[in-house]
Amino acid sequence: MNAVYNLFLRNWINCRATEEQIDLAVAKSLITAEEAIRIKETKQCKLNNEDE
């Protein structure tokens, strides 16, 4: 895993990265498809304005 993966993972967890951005990172070879899957499987935070 590299710094770019860690950045996308952190942004994903904090609801700052979208699935489209993750997919674009794969298309640009910034992260691997396997890393993208792991990121998307990670639980995201709940935003304050979301209903529970």
Side-chain angles (χ1 to χ4, degrees), residues 7 36 41 46 51-52:
L7 174 67
E41 289 175 344
K46 289 191 180 275
D51 294 332
E52 293 191 34

Side-chain angles (χ1 to χ4, degrees), residues 5 9 12-13 36-45:
Y5 168 82
L9 178 61
W12 177 260
I13 291 169
I37 291 167
R38 279 198 303 267
I39 290 170
K40 291 177 185 179
E41 289 175 344
T42 303
K43 184 177 177 180
Q44 290 183 290
C45 69

Side-chain angles (χ1 to χ4, degrees), residues 21-43:
Q21 291 169 326
I22 302 296
D23 294 339
L24 183 59
V26 173
K28 291 184 173 187
S29 299
L30 297 174
I31 60 174
T32 65
E34 293 80 14
E35 289 173 330
I37 291 167
R38 279 198 303 267
I39 290 170
K40 291 177 185 179
E41 289 175 344
T42 303
K43 184 177 177 180

Side-chain angles (χ1 to χ4, degrees), residues 7-21:
L7 174 67
F8 276 101
L9 178 61
R10 185 177 67 237
N11 285 343
W12 177 260
I13 291 169
N14 293 321
C15 298
R16 298 290 182 204
T18 64
E19 284 194 41
E20 292 80 15
Q21 291 169 326

